[in-house]
Amino acid sequence: MAVCNLGCPFPSSFARKSTPFSRKRSSCRSTILCLGLNHSAKFRRDYTSVMIVPTGVGASIGGYAGDAIPVARTLSSVVDCLISHPNVLNAAMLYWPMPNTLYVEGYALDRFAEGLWALQPVHQNRVGLVLDAGIEEDLRLRHLQVADAARASLGLNVVEYVVTDTPLEVEMWVDPKGGQSTGRIRHPDSLLRAVRNLVNRSRVNAIAVVGRFPDEDIEETDDYRQGLGVDILAGVEAVISHLVVREFCIPCAHAPALSPPSLCPSLCPKSAAEERRAVFWQVMLIVSSFQ
């Protein structure tokens, strides 16, 4: 699974020498046979499909931890190139590598669909890790150990981590009108400063963010664990990643830092992958997704 870098306008310090995806043919192609002509000329064209499942709305397929992956695999088998986003391709630490599938954060995918941004496949990114200052010391150490495991065992290019100068103070809720999950961080400037430090100092071109989520709100996930309702974490996770991508035009994914939930003996299979968050392997996924 490859990640797409973004060909949107950059400040001078982020200038790139890249050809916009929209101005050249990619390696993905399909063949169209002209009919009704006196010759059998063949015209080669890109056959690219985009798969989008909205985040935090309780979608029947894709509303849970990775239950859209089988659909994405099926779709990728009949197209030359599939472009999708974290809500489709991530299942806590679980995903299925698909060589013709490109991983694009949702905000960038929206801009791509509008024709405002271009996408360019890359082989590997320099990943920077941002940890919320609100994460307790022992929990922070767990996440750093997972990042080290990703570097040592998978050879992933996680070049540096920073801790935000102020706790982000994540808040999440379900919109009473629309029923979708959403939220905010009370200190977005702290997140942006941390990302800017990584970009300027280490020249990272992909960001993994781990925010401390409030444990007292996790009880609202009981319905979700039974295969009902919406993922209350997903909405604000999208808010966080959208903010980074909008400001810096580089890929970003988010993982929540949570205390381990109580054991649920009657867990819905569609929600089971979320239990992996308890052992902090979500960090492994978000850094490996960028390779």
Side-chain angles (χ1 to χ4, degrees):
M1 184 185 303
V3 65
C4 273
N5 276 354
L6 313 178
C8 52
F10 279 74
S12 57
S13 59
F14 302 106
R16 294 184 177 185
K17 296 179 180 179
S18 61
T19 303
F21 185 82
S22 59
R23 296 181 184 176
K24 69 174 184 178
R25 298 295 187 189
S26 75
S27 59
C28 305
R29 62 185 184 275
S30 63
T31 301
I32 299 179
L33 178 63
C34 285
L35 302 177
L37 300 178
N38 293 326
H39 55 82
S40 59
K42 293 183 179 180
F43 298 89
R44 305 186 79 82
R45 296 184 58 191
D46 299 338
Y47 184 20
T48 300
S49 179
V50 177
M51 180 177 176
I52 299 174
V53 178
T55 299
V57 300
S60 58
I61 297 176
Y64 295 85
D67 64 315
I69 292 178
V71 180
R73 290 179 59 197
T74 301
L75 186 56
S76 72
S77 70
V78 297
V79 301
D80 294 302
C81 182
L82 176 65
I83 302 174
S84 197
H85 59 106
N87 196 47
V88 171
L89 300 174
N90 288 5
M93 69 162 288
L94 309 174
Y95 69 94
W96 192 281
M98 293 172 279
N100 66 330
T101 300
L102 304 180
Y103 179 102
V104 181
E105 194 276 338
Y107 183 86
L109 189 54
D110 288 345
R111 304 292 80 75
F112 172 74
E114 291 175 318
L116 301 177
W117 286 12
L119 303 175
Q120 182 178 26
V122 297
H123 173 66
Q124 188 178 59
N125 279 297
R126 291 171 57 84
V127 181
L129 175 61
V130 175
L131 298 176
D132 186 352
I135 301 174
E136 299 86 340
E137 184 176 355
D138 58 341
L139 191 56
R140 181 190 306 170
L141 180 59
R142 295 279 191 178
H143 284 89
L144 289 175
Q145 289 172 342
V146 171
D148 281 340
R151 296 169 61 195
S153 61
L154 301 179
L156 305 184
N157 196 18
V158 185
V159 297
E160 187 183 0
Y161 83 92
V162 298
V163 178
T164 61
D165 53 27
T166 304
L168 299 181
E169 295 188 21
V170 177
E171 299 178 352
M172 55 188 181
W173 62 87
V174 175
D175 188 305
K177 293 183 179 180
Q180 73 274 17
S181 68
T182 186
R184 65 175 178 175
I185 52 175
R186 297 185 64 87
H187 300 288
D189 289 346
S190 178
L191 173 60
L192 296 180
R193 285 192 295 270
V195 175
R196 187 172 292 108
N197 287 339
L198 284 171
V199 171
N200 290 339
R201 185 170 61 230
S202 298
R203 300 297 174 183
V204 301
N205 52 14
I207 294 292
V209 180
V210 182
R212 184 60 167 103
F213 275 48
D215 291 328
E216 60 269 19
D217 293 340
I218 300 305
E219 293 303 320
E220 297 187 34
T221 65
D222 286 346
D223 286 344
Y224 178 74
R225 296 172 80 185
Q226 297 301 321
L228 304 171
V230 301
D231 182 357
I232 192 173
L233 308 179
V236 69
E237 286 192 280
V239 169
I240 292 170
S241 62
H242 286 12
L243 173 63
V244 173
V245 175
R246 186 185 69 197
E247 293 296 321
F248 295 95
C249 294
I250 59 176
C252 176
H254 177 271
L258 296 165
S259 299
S262 57
L263 184 64
C264 179
S266 58
L267 195 68
C268 175
K270 293 195 298 182
S271 304
E274 291 290 354
E275 302 302 297
R276 309 291 294 215
R277 296 181 190 270
V279 291
F280 315 109
W281 284 89
Q282 178 81 348
V283 179
M284 179 77 84
L285 173 68
I286 63 174
V287 296
S288 63
S289 298
F290 290 137
Q291 309 308 310

